[in-house]
Amino acid sequence: MVDPKTFAESTLQLLQQDPRRYHNFGVYWYFVKALMKRYYTKDNLHLLGEYMDADTMARMPEHATLQEAIEAAIEEYRHNASFNLGRSTVEDLTGGGVLDLHDEDAGV
């Protein structure tokens, strides 16, 4: 079982090292961002601003529990870190194809 606070802490450290890694979360990015904002602010990581992309959020598959969603986000990160190699285009999990993941809070 993955503790949400521990997940947020690990993700914060990962993104502080290289903020572009947010792309690896794919359609789960805004879920991860919302979870991180429970514990951290923009003072910890500039990505934790107010921007949320409704279209990308709608493409995230539904999960019965928070635990299932966290585990799916971790798996998506692993997959994209291994095969997507940091590109901003990620697989659209609900409609097939790809989408360009962009967070205005990233500033790039």
Side-chain angles (χ1 to χ4, degrees):
M1 185 154 139
V2 180
D3 173 59
K5 187 170 184 358
T6 301
F7 173 71
E9 181 180 349
S10 297
T11 302
L12 177 68
Q13 292 172 8
L14 186 78
L15 295 176
Q16 284 174 330
Q17 292 171 359
D18 186 352
R20 295 171 297 178
R21 290 178 175 160
Y22 84 88
H23 289 121
N24 289 333
F25 285 108
V27 297
Y28 288 92
W29 166 240
Y30 293 103
F31 159 74
V32 170
K33 182 177 182 176
L35 180 64
M36 291 180 67
K37 288 175 67 168
R38 288 184 181 180
Y39 307 102
Y40 303 105
T41 68
K42 283 180 71 167
D43 292 335
N44 304 104
L45 181 70
H46 73 278
L47 288 171
L48 299 181
E50 297 303 314
Y51 182 78
M52 302 294 263
D53 184 280
D55 183 52
T56 301
M57 292 172 14
R59 295 170 190 247
M60 182 181 134
E62 290 188 30
H63 297 280
T65 66
L66 175 62
Q67 191 61 218
E68 285 180 12
I70 291 172
E71 290 171 7
I74 291 169
E75 184 55 37
E76 180 73 3
Y77 186 93
R78 286 182 187 147
H79 175 81
N80 286 330
S82 296
F83 301 107
N84 204 31
L85 304 175
R87 291 187 301 262
S88 64
T89 51
V90 295
E91 186 178 352
D92 178 351
L93 299 176
T94 58
V98 296
L99 82 116
D100 188 26
L101 179 62
H102 174 75
D103 186 336
E104 290 183 10
D105 291 325
V108 291

